[in-house]
């Protein structure tokens, strides 16, 4: 019986893993708003999540991230494009990048912020 429960749990977790990998973002709206040709997106962070956690942009657009934290210091890092912001409470950070080619890019926290640090992720969806 224990083996069966284990197998069942394993299958369910593999299924949910496969679903997140193939997540369809086509129904998501573009994030933020364009002001003077720059797509400005405000992102807030908390232990252990981002709001919004899914950011949707068009490739080639100039993007400005305004990043803040509601509790302790957090980072907003997109390794693939060498983009990294760090914000402390009351000290937001901002930075620009040009949206890379279409695809899904992982956002991770670049400041160790506690036990859930590694689970603190988001996604940049480039159309
Ligand atoms: Cu962290």
């Amino acid at each position: 019986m224990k083996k069966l429960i284990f197998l069942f749990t394993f299958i369910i977790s593999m299924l949910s893993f496969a679903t997140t990998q193939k997540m369809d973002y086509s129904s998501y709206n573009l994030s933020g708003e364009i002001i003077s040709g720059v797509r400005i997106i405000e992102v807030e962070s908390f232990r252990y999540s981002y709001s919004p956690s899914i950011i949707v942009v068009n490739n080639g657009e100039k993007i400005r991230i305004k990043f803040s934290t509601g509790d302790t210091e957090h980072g907003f890092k997109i390794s693939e494009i060498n983009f990294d912001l760090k914000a402390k409470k009351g000290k937001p950070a901002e930075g620009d990048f040009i949206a890379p080619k279409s695809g899904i890019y992982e956002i991770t926290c670049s400041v160790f912020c506690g036990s859930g640090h590694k689970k603190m992720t988001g996604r940049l969806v480039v159309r």
Side-chain angles (χ1 to χ4, degrees):
M1 190 62 186
K2 261 189 183 170
K3 266 187 183 171
L4 206 66
I5 291 170
F6 175 76
L7 191 68
F8 186 71
T9 315
F10 179 74
I11 289 169
I12 295 294
S13 57
M14 287 320 284
L15 278 177
S16 61
F17 179 72
T19 323
T20 35
Q21 292 306 298
K22 284 183 201 154
M23 191 75 189
D24 178 15
Y25 297 109
S26 57
S27 64
Y28 283 63
N29 292 323
L30 289 162
S31 304
E33 58 174 332
I34 296 183
I35 298 171
S36 311
V38 184
R39 182 175 294 284
I40 298 173
I41 303 164
E42 293 186 13
V43 180
E44 270 189 279
S45 59
F46 303 92
R47 287 192 178 99
Y48 297 102
S49 61
Y50 295 101
S51 176
S53 61
I54 308 292
I55 293 169
V56 184
V57 302
N58 291 316
N59 71 69
E61 281 181 326
K62 187 171 181 183
I63 310 297
R64 179 164 301 148
I65 302 291
K66 293 187 168 189
F67 181 59
S68 63
T69 170
D71 44 38
T72 187
E73 185 176 6
H74 293 290
F76 178 101
K77 185 177 184 182
I78 307 169
S79 297
E80 282 171 89
I81 57 167
N82 261 316
F83 185 79
D84 191 7
L85 296 174
K86 292 175 173 67
K88 289 180 179 170
K89 189 149 193 193
K91 275 196 169 182
E94 66 174 66
D96 296 357
F97 63 89
I98 302 294
K101 66 177 177 16
S102 298
I104 294 169
Y105 300 81
E106 291 297 320
I107 299 164
T108 56
C109 178
S110 52
V111 178
F112 182 79
C113 53
S115 61
H117 168 67
K118 280 193 173 172
K119 286 185 199 158
M120 189 166 167
T121 58
R123 284 185 161 183
L124 171 72
V125 178
V126 183
R127 290 196 173 139

